[in-house]
Amino acid sequence: MSADLAPWIAIAVAAAVTFGTRTLGPVIMARVPATKRVQQFLDSLSTSVIVAIVAGYLARGTLREAAALAAGALAMMLLRQPLLSMAVAMAVAAAWSGFRP
């Protein structure tokens, strides 16, 4: 395989996988009975994805990311508003970067 062709193959594979997951997901879920357990799983799926993303940033992050995550978690526990808690976390991270000497 030539070096010029490799990026195009990678793009084609990524496009095929993306297309497959976007189209086959709804097709498969149309055939799954919507039980209470399935509904609970789907309701918690978005939270699981957010936790995985945040955990990845925290694992390779610094004290700034840890402080922002802690502030966001505290805001979520106190306010129970996800959007506002994300804004608090972003504000802490931005303030940390802005005031760093």
Side-chain angles (χ1 to χ4, degrees):
M1 175 184 344
S2 76
D4 294 335
L5 193 57
W8 293 107
I9 291 173
I11 291 170
V13 168
V17 168
T18 300
F19 180 75
T21 56
R22 298 285 180 159
T23 56
L24 290 178
V27 169
I28 292 170
M29 287 310 295
R31 290 168 170 64
V32 173
T35 64
K36 184 177 181 180
R37 188 173 182 135
V38 170
Q39 189 62 39
Q40 287 174 340
F41 169 76
L42 293 174
D43 288 343
S44 65
L45 191 59
S46 61
T47 304
S48 301
V49 171
I50 291 172
V51 167
I53 291 169
V54 169
Y57 278 113
L58 188 60
R60 64 175 183 255
T62 61
L63 191 56
R64 180 186 80 149
E65 285 82 9
L69 178 61
L74 182 63
M76 186 62 190
M77 286 188 290
L78 294 175
L79 305 173
R80 303 270 185 214
Q81 294 185 3
L83 192 58
L84 189 55
S85 66
M86 285 189 275
V88 167
M90 287 188 295
V92 168
W96 186 295
S97 297
F99 293 122
R100 189 178 65 178

